[in-house]
């Protein structure tokens, strides 16, 4: 497969390998190769986003439907969008609040339903579990752990009463649950970061190594 | 004079980077095979897909950036293999502008070719549309209204598959592969408000948070990071990139455990040494 690669394929692999090794070189110390790769990434991302927004929002969702599809009412959201640019002027920046008010109101309305209906209520409901779950002692123990964890963690975050006596003891149990949660998050984060490293080293070993072998 | 344990405490971190890089490379050079145990969550996701009727329509999302490819691409590849084996009709979509649509294009075409699937008949790549919350709501009414054309500009009305898949009513399952919060919106909007079953694979960083949604029944199954992808590959009986990567992962974990132990032992011994020196 490697032997059948074109010059362009080899060029792409070598360019990727150069950028990866340049970025990894920062682990030794800061250097011009790292800085160049970092700036290329920042510049490319910014350019890509500008092109993307122009194509997928301005053209596809505003100009084309207006002029080709006859949806003239889109002129109103278009004006709201243009008003956002008044933030660049010190004297007229207040006008952009009209657009912001629309965005905030709209977002709050949409998210209120999804957060409440899709998350808060369903998650509260999931903690209201029967102690006799049907699978014997194991499900009862698990249910007790869930209930203890939820209550003690909530107590830890209740700051209107001093954490003393029963309140303090429950909050301490809550800390244990929070710490175990942090541990799980940290372990998974390490695994995630190592996975990214594996991905890059696999590329260097198999793809770049394959390209090297086929050339020399 | 600094003791051995003091030196361990002050070791140049670049030696640790080198050690970790060596641990990643070692299983690639000297092939090692660490066992991969299955978790109930990955089995649940596999069974959910397996229980769907053959030839039904499903949605597969590519909600991830290229930076997370090592963890997420094997999940997408494994999901596609499972779906195409069952002759399912696959509609892919991306809520991530940078990478998602082109990754979906490349991966689906590669896997579809292996299974002899035809574009427009067996699978369609809708691509990306700005504003994922609005997109998720909009797809409930009409996919064609949100995506008049697919990722490469073909009109949806010209694609045979999209004549039968008009909105969520025609989709049996949504398989979300994500490296960001979009999965939460697939759950809180599409599952909660439209009742479509959602399952997914996420990066390891996101996995602990998502278990709560599996426990509450809002999500069917979960693949967490490269390990989750490797489990799915094992269930399908394929030797993919995640399975291969897990050998390096296990080796690095052994190195990290060793370093944590050495670091802690060094800390206690160097403190003891300092105590003795101070009399």
């Amino acid at each position: 497969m490697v032997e059948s690669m074109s010059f362009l394929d080899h060029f792409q692999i070598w360019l990727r390998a150069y950028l990866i090794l340049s970025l990894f070189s920062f682990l030794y110390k800061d250097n011009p190769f790292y800085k160049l790769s970092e700036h290329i990434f920042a510049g490319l991302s910014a350019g890509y986003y500008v092109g993307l927004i122009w194509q997928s929002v301005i053209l596809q969702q505003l100009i084309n439907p207006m002029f080709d599809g006859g949806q003239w009412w889109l002129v109103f959201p278009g004006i709201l969008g243009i008003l956002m640019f008044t933030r660049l002027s010190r004297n007229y920046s207040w006008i952009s609040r009209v657009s912001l008010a629309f965005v905030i109101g709209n977002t709050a309305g949409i998210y209120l339903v999804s957060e409440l209906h899709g998350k808060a209520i369903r998650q509260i409901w999931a903690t209201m579990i029967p102690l006799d779950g049907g699978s014997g002692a194991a499900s009862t123990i698990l249910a007790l752990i869930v209930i203890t964890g939820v209550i003690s963690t909530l107590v830890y975050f209740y700051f209107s009463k001093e954490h003393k006596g029963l309140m303090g003891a429950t909050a301490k149990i809550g800390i244990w649950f929070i710490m175990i949660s942090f541990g799980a998050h940290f372990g998974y984060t390490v695994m995630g970061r190592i996975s990214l490293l594996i991905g890059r080293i696999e590329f260097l070993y198999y793809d770049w190594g394959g390209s090297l072998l086929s050339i020399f | 004079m600094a003791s051995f344990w003091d030196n361990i405490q002050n070791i140049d971190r670049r030696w640790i980077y080198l050690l970790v890089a060596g641990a990643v490379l070692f299983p690639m050079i000297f092939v090692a095979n660490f066992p991969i145990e299955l978790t109930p969550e990955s089995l649940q996701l596999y069974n959910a897909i397996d229980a769907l009727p053959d030839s039904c329509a499903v949605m597969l999302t590519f909600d991830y950036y290229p930076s997370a490819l090592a963890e997420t691409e094997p999940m997408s590849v494994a999901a596609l293999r499972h779906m195409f084996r069952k002759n399912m009709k696959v509609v892919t979509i991306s809520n991530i502008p940078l990478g998602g649509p082109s990754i979906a294009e490349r991966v689906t075409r590669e896997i579809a070719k292996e299974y002899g699937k035809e574009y427009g008949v067996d699978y369609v790549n809708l691509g990306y549309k700005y504003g994922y919350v609005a997109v998720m709501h909009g797809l409930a009414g009409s996919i064609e209204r949100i995506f008049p054309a697919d990722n490469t500009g073909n009109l949806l009305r010209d694609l045979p598959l999209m004549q039968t898949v008009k909105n969520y009513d025609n989709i049996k399952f949504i398989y979300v592969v994500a490296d960001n919060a979009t999965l939460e919106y697939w759950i809180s909007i599409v599952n909660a408000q439209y009742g479509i079953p959602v399952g997914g694979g996420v990066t390891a960083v996101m996995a602990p948070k998502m278990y709560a949604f599996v426990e509450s029944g809002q999500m069917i199954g979960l693949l967490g990071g490269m390990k989750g992808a490797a489990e799915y590959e094992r269930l399908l009986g394929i030797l993919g990139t995640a399975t291969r990567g897990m050998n390096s992962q296990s080796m690095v974990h052994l190195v990290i455990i060793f370093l944590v132990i050495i670091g802690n032992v060094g800390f206690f011994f160097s403190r003891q040494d300092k105590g003795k020196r101070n009399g």
Side-chain angles (χ1 to χ4, degrees):
Chain A
M1 189 181 166
V2 171
E3 286 77 8
S4 64
M5 284 194 302
S6 65
F7 170 77
L8 192 64
D9 292 331
H10 282 295
F11 178 74
Q12 283 179 355
I13 287 175
W14 280 74
L15 184 64
R16 284 166 69 186
Y18 165 77
L19 291 170
I20 290 167
L21 291 172
S22 302
L23 291 168
F24 278 175
S25 68
F26 183 77
L27 295 173
Y28 184 71
K29 67 175 182 180
D30 201 358
N31 63 74
F33 294 104
Y34 169 76
K35 280 205 161 59
L36 177 66
S37 300
E38 193 186 27
H39 284 89
I40 289 172
F41 177 72
L44 274 177
S45 301
Y48 182 87
Y49 271 108
V50 170
L52 184 89
I53 298 296
W54 174 256
Q55 182 67 33
S56 69
V57 180
I58 310 291
L59 282 182
Q60 286 185 15
Q61 293 184 32
L62 185 68
I63 293 177
N64 290 349
M66 267 173 63
F67 292 101
D68 299 340
Q71 298 177 35
W72 288 103
W73 58 270
L74 286 174
V75 75
F76 296 109
I79 290 169
L80 285 175
I82 290 167
L83 291 183
M84 289 292 276
F85 287 100
T86 58
R87 289 183 73 82
L88 300 172
S89 158
R90 191 173 291 174
N91 292 331
Y92 298 105
S93 65
W94 61 271
I95 300 174
S96 66
R97 289 181 201 155
V98 177
S99 312
L100 281 174
F102 179 82
V103 171
I104 292 167
N106 195 14
T107 309
I110 290 171
Y111 280 67
L112 188 71
V113 177
S114 65
E115 292 295 308
L116 201 64
H117 178 63
K119 284 188 190 167
I121 291 173
R122 292 296 298 271
Q123 287 298 312
I124 293 167
W125 186 21
T127 62
M128 295 177 186
I129 41 183
L131 288 177
D132 179 20
S135 310
S139 63
T140 306
I141 292 167
L142 286 173
L144 280 171
I145 291 171
V146 169
I147 291 162
T148 312
V150 170
I151 292 171
S152 60
T153 307
L154 285 173
V155 167
Y156 175 75
F157 285 106
Y158 185 76
F159 301 117
S160 299
K161 195 176 185 305
E162 201 175 350
H163 288 182
K164 275 184 176 175
L166 180 65
M167 188 88 172
T170 314
K172 267 189 183 153
I173 297 169
I175 292 175
W176 275 97
F177 276 95
I178 294 167
M179 289 299 155
I180 291 167
S181 165
F182 285 164
H185 276 85
F186 181 70
Y188 265 106
T189 303
V190 169
M191 189 167 89
R193 299 298 176 243
I194 296 298
S195 299
L196 304 186
L197 176 68
I198 292 168
R200 291 307 81 211
I201 291 184
E202 276 191 338
F203 167 78
L204 291 174
Y205 185 74
Y206 294 108
D207 296 28
W208 189 46
S211 172
L212 262 170
L213 283 175
S214 70
I215 292 171
F216 301 108
Chain B
M1 192 183 150
S3 71
F4 169 76
W5 295 112
D6 285 333
N7 289 334
I8 286 285
Q9 289 296 295
N10 299 312
I11 193 169
D12 190 333
R13 62 181 176 181
R14 285 174 292 194
W15 287 110
I16 296 171
Y17 295 151
L18 202 63
L19 195 64
V20 170
V24 172
L25 263 171
F26 185 82
M28 293 180 198
I29 300 167
F30 308 101
V31 179
N33 286 311
F34 287 89
I36 294 164
E37 299 300 325
L38 295 177
T39 55
E41 290 77 16
S42 58
L43 196 62
Q44 195 185 0
L45 181 60
Y46 176 86
N47 289 337
I49 298 289
D50 221 44
L52 291 172
D54 287 0
S55 307
C56 71
V58 289
M59 185 173 267
L60 176 65
T61 83
F62 284 72
D63 293 347
Y64 52 88
Y65 291 90
S67 56
L69 272 183
E71 291 184 278
T72 46
E73 190 177 306
M75 294 176 191
S76 305
V77 169
L80 276 168
R81 286 186 197 281
H82 198 181
M83 291 164 181
F84 283 148
R85 271 185 196 180
K86 285 179 66 67
N87 291 317
M88 289 174 175
K89 308 294 178 191
V90 184
V91 178
T92 62
I93 184 175
S94 179
N95 287 302
I96 293 301
L98 204 62
S102 53
I103 297 166
E105 196 72 32
R106 175 175 57 80
V107 171
T108 45
R109 284 189 190 273
E110 271 175 23
I111 307 299
K113 202 174 167 185
E114 281 179 33
Y115 289 86
K117 300 294 178 186
E118 191 184 339
Y119 188 79
V121 176
D122 300 302
Y123 69 102
V124 165
N125 182 16
L126 295 177
Y128 166 79
K129 187 70 77 176
Y130 184 82
Y132 54 79
V133 173
V135 169
M136 287 175 196
H137 278 293
L139 294 179
S142 163
I143 294 175
E144 197 176 342
R145 194 162 55 84
I146 304 298
F147 290 93
D150 70 0
N151 191 47
T152 47
N154 302 306
L155 292 176
L156 251 58
R157 61 169 175 261
D158 297 335
L159 301 172
L161 174 59
M162 300 317 289
Q163 305 314 305
T164 52
V165 181
K166 295 288 186 190
N167 52 37
Y168 290 140
D169 292 342
N170 310 118
I171 290 170
K172 294 282 181 198
F173 193 88
I174 300 179
Y175 195 128
V176 182
V177 182
D179 70 349
N180 58 78
T182 56
L183 177 53
E184 286 182 47
Y185 293 104
W186 282 109
I187 293 167
S188 64
I189 294 172
V190 181
N191 175 262
Q193 294 180 37
Y194 302 105
I196 311 298
V198 171
V202 294
T203 52
V205 175
M206 290 170 62
K209 190 179 178 186
M210 303 316 297
Y211 277 101
F213 293 108
V214 180
E215 287 298 313
S216 64
Q218 293 173 274
M219 193 176 156
I220 303 170
L222 174 70
L223 305 180
M226 188 180 266
K227 168 75 165 53
E231 289 175 44
Y232 210 88
E233 285 176 355
R234 192 189 140 183
L235 285 163
L236 287 171
I238 54 173
L239 186 68
T241 53
T243 309
R244 196 174 64 189
M246 276 311 291
N247 293 322
S248 298
Q249 185 81 253
S250 302
M251 189 61 86
V252 176
H253 285 189
L254 288 175
V255 168
I256 291 171
I257 291 166
F258 171 73
L259 290 172
V260 168
I261 292 170
I262 283 287
N264 279 284
V265 170
F267 172 75
F268 285 111
F269 275 106
S270 62
R271 201 167 63 167
Q272 212 172 33
D273 288 349
K274 272 178 198 158
K276 277 179 190 167
R277 279 201 293 271
N278 294 335

